Amino acid sequence: MATFRLALIQLQVSSVKSDNVTRACSLVREAATQGAKVVSLPECFNSPYGTDYFPEYAEKIPGESTRRLSEVAKECSIYLIGGSIPEEDAGKLYNTCAVFGPDGTLLVKHRKIHLFDIDVPGKITFQESKTLSPGDSFSTFDTPYCRVSLGICYDIRFAELAQVYSQKGCQLLVYPGAFNLTTGPAHWELLQRARAVDNQVYVATASPARDDKASYVAWGHSTIVNPWGDVLAKAGTEETILYSDIDLQKLAEIRQQIPIFRQKRSDLYAVEMKKP
């Protein structure tokens, strides 16, 4: 199948985990009724985003939230990218995305590789590493449509990760993310278009909806970009479902017209994958 429908759920996240999960599943069902075959939730969809919240909301995988995701993926017969949740494993906490197939099977679990430790004086200081540990593996999964790869939020800033994914045959890069009011207007769309053009892939970012009263205010504006760098769809700041058709014939045409993969000077440089 050369074309399939992707849906991104820009969820309004509250402080009540069960409500977040229930509403997320309801919106997943709605996306499926609109023909979506691959659906993504946003980063930290079951919990407010913040180092104070991660220990309180963390759960194992499988656990309460991911069991519900498995059930709704099977019910709707879709590929469900479970945004991310705070995960507890062996005494450590991770920012983790679990992906489920149309039969409800857990296909892959991506732990955020690059932790969001930044300091922009007078604007924002945040340190995920206060409570979270980094993941150390690449995460891809196959669908009947294409191979999909995963990053979480800050992972999008590291071009080498996307390059490795494109070398592994991925055609769609999905980044559940929660940029903020400082980094969002400056870099959110810019980074997505850069990763899409650099690697001639589709790039999708699923953000939480904006809550101006939250301790961490998400930028919103979930987005889908094609391999030419065109923004195909972009949400505002409110809770919504964003849709776009992913056209793999278009991707093939762009790669043929501008054949950067054949033209890379591997005799001079390469991006090395140190771990499988």
Side-chain angles (χ1 to χ4, degrees):
M1 186 181 293
T3 304
F4 68 95
R5 176 162 269 202
L6 171 68
L8 307 180
I9 293 174
Q10 185 161 288
L11 184 72
Q12 188 74 62
V13 178
S14 76
S15 59
V16 183
K17 182 194 285 190
S18 59
D19 288 353
N20 294 329
V21 176
T22 296
R23 195 162 62 260
C25 290
S26 175
L27 292 170
V28 168
R29 291 186 187 96
E30 181 181 337
T33 65
Q34 297 301 311
K37 302 299 183 185
V38 179
V39 179
S40 180
L41 291 165
E43 181 180 25
C44 224
F45 84 91
N46 72 345
S47 158
Y49 182 80
T51 52
D52 292 338
Y53 298 106
F54 298 147
E56 177 186 352
Y57 284 77
E59 52 184 84
K60 294 187 180 297
I61 297 178
E64 172 194 347
S65 299
T66 50
R67 275 195 291 267
R68 294 280 300 279
L69 296 187
S70 170
E71 290 166 3
V72 76
K74 184 176 182 179
E75 174 191 333
C76 297
S77 191
I78 58 165
Y79 289 87
L80 178 56
I81 299 166
S84 79
I85 66 170
E87 178 201 9
E88 188 277 320
D89 184 34
K92 290 185 176 181
L93 299 181
Y94 302 92
N95 189 343
T96 304
C97 175
V99 178
F100 298 92
D103 61 356
T105 301
L106 177 65
L107 299 179
V108 70
K109 190 171 73 168
H110 179 76
R111 290 170 170 167
K112 190 173 189 175
I113 296 173
H114 305 93
L115 297 184
F116 182 57
D117 289 4
I118 70 162
D119 182 15
V120 182
K123 293 191 175 180
I124 182 169
T125 299
F126 201 93
Q127 194 171 3
E128 274 190 326
S129 63
K130 280 184 177 178
T131 54
L132 298 179
S133 296
D136 61 1
S137 62
F138 301 98
S139 302
T140 67
F141 65 97
D142 289 312
T143 75
Y145 323 110
C146 68
R147 177 169 291 175
V148 183
S149 62
L150 299 171
I152 297 175
C153 200
Y154 200 51
D155 286 340
I156 199 172
R157 289 187 179 272
F158 298 86
E160 296 86 351
L161 178 62
Q163 289 174 43
V164 166
Y165 281 144
S166 65
Q167 289 173 12
K168 290 166 74 68
C170 295
Q171 295 166 300
L172 169 62
L173 277 58
V174 180
Y175 297 91
F179 273 40
N180 53 71
L181 301 190
T182 296
T183 61
H187 302 144
W188 178 245
E189 183 180 308
L190 175 67
L191 286 164
Q192 295 170 64
R193 297 181 71 189
R195 297 294 84 82
V197 171
D198 282 351
N199 300 285
Q200 296 179 330
V201 293
Y202 284 88
V203 173
T205 54
S207 170
R210 188 179 302 176
D211 178 1
D212 291 317
K213 299 181 181 67
S215 57
Y216 180 95
V217 182
W219 175 236
H221 298 296
S222 299
T223 308
I224 302 170
V225 179
N226 76 7
W228 193 256
D230 298 323
V231 175
L232 300 182
K234 186 174 184 177
T237 60
E238 70 290 339
E239 181 171 277
T240 190
I241 305 175
L242 190 70
Y243 300 95
S244 182
D245 290 333
I246 303 301
D247 185 348
L248 300 170
Q249 181 60 38
K250 174 79 169 176
L251 181 147
E253 290 171 0
I254 289 169
R255 289 185 174 186
Q256 185 174 20
Q257 292 163 4
I258 305 179
I260 59 173
F261 295 104
R262 293 203 308 270
Q263 296 167 332
K264 283 184 183 289
R265 290 292 304 273
S266 57
D267 58 320
L268 296 178
Y269 59 83
V271 174
E272 181 184 2
M273 187 170 58
K274 293 183 180 287
K275 296 188 71 173

